[in-house]
């Protein structure tokens, strides 16, 4: 179990998941389009007053990002569970936590990163500019990995369960609340001129807490599902 | 229920637990009735009228104990769940499973009575305050634990998965509570002064404590009743347990 | 006794609705929980004794 072997395994998992994601481009674009659609529906529902839009933009964009993450995270392990790859991941000598982390990272690259990049565009739609746009992207950059990490726990717990989509939502959405609050808070405090440092640090703290704990819980849940 | 009618297949520890629970139930239930009766008497006939809130404050005699129980039972459930995961002990999982519905009911009651207290006191049924919001999240977590358990057919897996989720929840509740408080200070406009817990007369406090002890004893009785149901139901479903039980007979004693 | 009459007690200084719905729902939930558990226990016991011969025979 050399270091190189572990790194190689992680690289292989990330590469394989990315390849699978690009082969199933429909799934990939669904997540991204979902984010765009949800965010674009709000101005149509609320009305085009720039003041109102700027006020609701942080919350709306963050909720849209959160829902699009939820949409895809439930299936992180499904394919591997069905074709037995997950079972082998449990059996190989590399620590399962690292394997889980690699899969979560791949999920974030495919669903989190596009949201971060698109947020510039959607922020413009809502009349955000300058600092607020940058903080929006930065908060999503710090927050979406946490969402993927937490979401993976729900995905692993509901492996092979009937109606797992709704169940993942019920399990995971309450746990998303702190990230939503700090993320949207960072943007809205920038808009109102308070400064986003405190919210961004808390968002970073969430990531630092989730980074070691969530993969541990996910690995435990995978073991429970596979055994 | 006559215990002699049950034929015990393989759980020796459950065989002892079942009648033990049965013997404890009447004592807990009886004591619960006594404490609640005393609490209600003190709360309605001795405790003075609050000069700020009038008689509406009497709702706290059921609201505060229900809220306490909802949190206490969640921690208890998580403890049993953690114990079950750590020791691979089936009775611990059954205990966690027995606690969840009672905890959910108390959470629901805390929310409902909170709204009924809030309407006359603050003029609003619902306020996005940290305590209320956390209580709502707690209800979602209880429902998550119960639904997860119900939707996994393999009992052993259901036990362990829902136990793990209960533990994840117990780590998150303080974080959620803090984040909602933080959020509340940002949005001052919407928040109402919540420290309206009145300066309480000694009799008010005593009545509340009596009710809380009564609720606690009631929970014990009901949880033990549900534990007996769970034990019986699992005992008569060996087809689900078969695979899990054979290697695990020793685990059960833990 | 601090209440002059039964109707005064029931009125709760004008807050009767809020107070009695709170206490009433709590009582209802408790009674319902106990009754449903009794039914569940009796059902489990019935199944247990009827399946005895099949499972443990």
């Amino acid at each position: 179990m050399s270091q190189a072997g572990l790194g190689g395994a992680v690289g292989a998992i990330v590469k394989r998941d990315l390849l699978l994601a690009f082969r199933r481009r429909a799934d990939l674009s669904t997540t991204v389009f979902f984010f765009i659609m949800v965010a674009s529906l709000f101005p149509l529902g609320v009305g085009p007053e720039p003041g109102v839009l700027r006020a609701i933009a942080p919350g709306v964009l963050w909720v849209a990002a959160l829902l699009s993450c939820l949409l895809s995270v439930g299936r992180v392990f499904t394919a591997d569970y069905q074709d037995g790859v997950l079972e082998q991941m449990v059996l190989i000598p590399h620590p399962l936590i690292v394997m889980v982390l690699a899969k979560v990272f791949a999920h974030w690259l495919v669903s989190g990163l596009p949201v971060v990049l698109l947020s510039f565009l959607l922020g413009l739609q809502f009349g955000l500019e300058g600092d607020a746009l940058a903080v929006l992207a930065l908060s999503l950059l710090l927050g979406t990995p946490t969402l993927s990490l937490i979401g993976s726990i729900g995905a692993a717990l509901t492996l092979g369960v009937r109606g797992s989509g709704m169940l993942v939502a019920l399990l995971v959405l309450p746990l998303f609340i702190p990230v939503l609050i700090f993320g949207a808070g960072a943007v809205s405090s920038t808009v109102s001129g308070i400064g986003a440092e405190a919210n961004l640090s808390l968002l970073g703290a969430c990531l630092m807490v989730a980074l070691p704990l969530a993969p541990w819980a996910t690995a435990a849940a995978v073991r429970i599902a596979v055994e | 229920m006559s215990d002699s009618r049950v034929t015990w297949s393989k759980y020796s520890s459950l065989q002892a637990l079942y009648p033990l629970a049965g013997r404890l139930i009447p004592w807990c239930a009886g004591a619960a009735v006594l404490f609640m009766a005393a609490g209600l008497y003190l709360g309605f006939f001795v405790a003075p009228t609050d000069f700020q809130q009038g008689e509406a404050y009497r709702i706290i005699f059921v609201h505060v104990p229900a809220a306490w129980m909802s949190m206490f039972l969640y921690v208890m459930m998580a403890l049993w769940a953690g114990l079950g995961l750590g020791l691979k002990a089936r009775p611990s999982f059954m205990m966690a499973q027995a606690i969840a519905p009672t905890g959910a009911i108390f959470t629901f009651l805390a929310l409902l009575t909170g709204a009924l207290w809030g309407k006359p006191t603050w003029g609003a049924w619902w306020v996005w305050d940290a305590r209320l919001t956390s209580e709502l999240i707690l209800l979602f977590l209880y429902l998550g634990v119960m639904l997860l358990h119900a939707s996994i057919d393999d009992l052993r897996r259901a036990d362990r998965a829902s136990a793990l989720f209960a533990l994840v929840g117990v780590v998150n509740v303080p974080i959620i509570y803090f984040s909602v408080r933080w959020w509340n200070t940002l949005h001052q406009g919407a928040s109402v002064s919540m420290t309206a817990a009145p300066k309480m007369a000694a009799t008010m406090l005593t009545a509340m404590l009596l009710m809380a002890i009564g609720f606690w004893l009631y929970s014990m009785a009901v949880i033990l009743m549900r534990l007996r149901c769970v034990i019986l139901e699992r005992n008569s479903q060996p087809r689900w347990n078969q695979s899990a039980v054979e290697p695990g007979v020793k685990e059960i004693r833990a | 006794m601090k209440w002059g009459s039964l109707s005064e007690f029931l009125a709760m200084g004008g807050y009767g609705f809020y107070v009695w719905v709170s206490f009433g729902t709590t009582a209802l939930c408790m009674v319902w929980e106990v009754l449903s558990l009794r039914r569940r226990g009796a059902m489990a016991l019935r199944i247990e004794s009827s399946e005895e011969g099949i499972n443990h025979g």
Side-chain angles (χ1 to χ4, degrees), chain B residues 61-82:
Chain B
F61 294 133
V62 55
H63 170 70
V64 174
W68 281 349
M69 286 314 298
S70 70
M71 289 179 268
F72 172 73
L73 287 178
Y74 193 90
V75 174
M76 280 297 119
M77 178 178 76
L79 274 179
W80 283 110

Side-chain angles (χ1 to χ4, degrees), chain A residues 85-193:
Chain A
V85 172
L86 208 55
E87 233 163 305
Q88 309 204 332
M89 255 183 234
V90 173
L91 293 175
I92 57 171
H94 299 307
L96 184 58
I97 292 181
V98 181
M99 305 294 112
V100 164
L101 211 52
K103 286 201 70 73
V104 172
F105 180 63
H107 171 261
W108 178 77
L109 280 182
V110 170
S111 76
L113 196 57
V115 164
V116 174
L117 297 175
L118 277 169
S119 65
F120 283 107
L121 215 62
L122 291 170
L124 283 176
Q125 271 192 336
F126 281 80
L128 297 181
E129 46 206 13
D131 279 357
L133 265 187
V135 169
L136 173 67
L138 188 61
S139 69
L140 283 169
L141 190 66
L142 278 172
T144 45
T146 316
L147 297 184
S148 292
L149 283 165
I150 296 173
S152 73
I153 304 176
L157 281 174
T158 54
L159 275 175
V161 170
R162 50 188 141 54
S164 65
M166 281 314 293
L167 196 54
V168 171
L170 178 70
L171 298 184
V172 158
L173 281 179
L175 309 180
F176 279 177
I177 289 172
V179 180
L180 171 67
I181 287 175
F182 300 139
V187 186
S188 49
S189 53
T190 313
V191 172
S192 56

Side-chain angles (χ1 to χ4, degrees), chain B residues 12-44:
Chain B
S12 53
S13 63
L14 294 185
Q15 197 172 353
L17 191 58
Y18 183 80
L20 177 70
R23 272 200 301 281
L24 282 172
I25 290 169
W27 292 102
C28 291
V33 170
L34 285 181
F35 271 97
M36 283 196 250
L40 285 175
Y41 174 75
L42 219 58
F44 275 112

Side-chain angles (χ1 to χ4, degrees), chain A residues 33-99:
Chain A
F33 277 119
F34 181 83
F35 176 60
I36 300 174
M37 287 307 297
V38 169
S40 308
L41 284 178
F42 271 87
L44 299 175
V46 177
E49 292 91 27
V52 177
L53 285 184
R54 208 168 299 134
I56 63 165
V60 167
L61 292 175
W62 255 96
V63 170
L66 193 144
L67 290 178
S68 75
C69 174
L70 185 72
L71 196 67
S72 57
V73 82
R75 289 178 315 229
V76 178
F77 300 109
T78 312
D80 287 349
Y81 179 68
Q82 279 163 352
D83 60 20
V85 172
L86 208 55
E87 233 163 305
Q88 309 204 332
M89 255 183 234
V90 173
L91 293 175
I92 57 171
H94 299 307
L96 184 58
I97 292 181
V98 181
M99 305 294 112

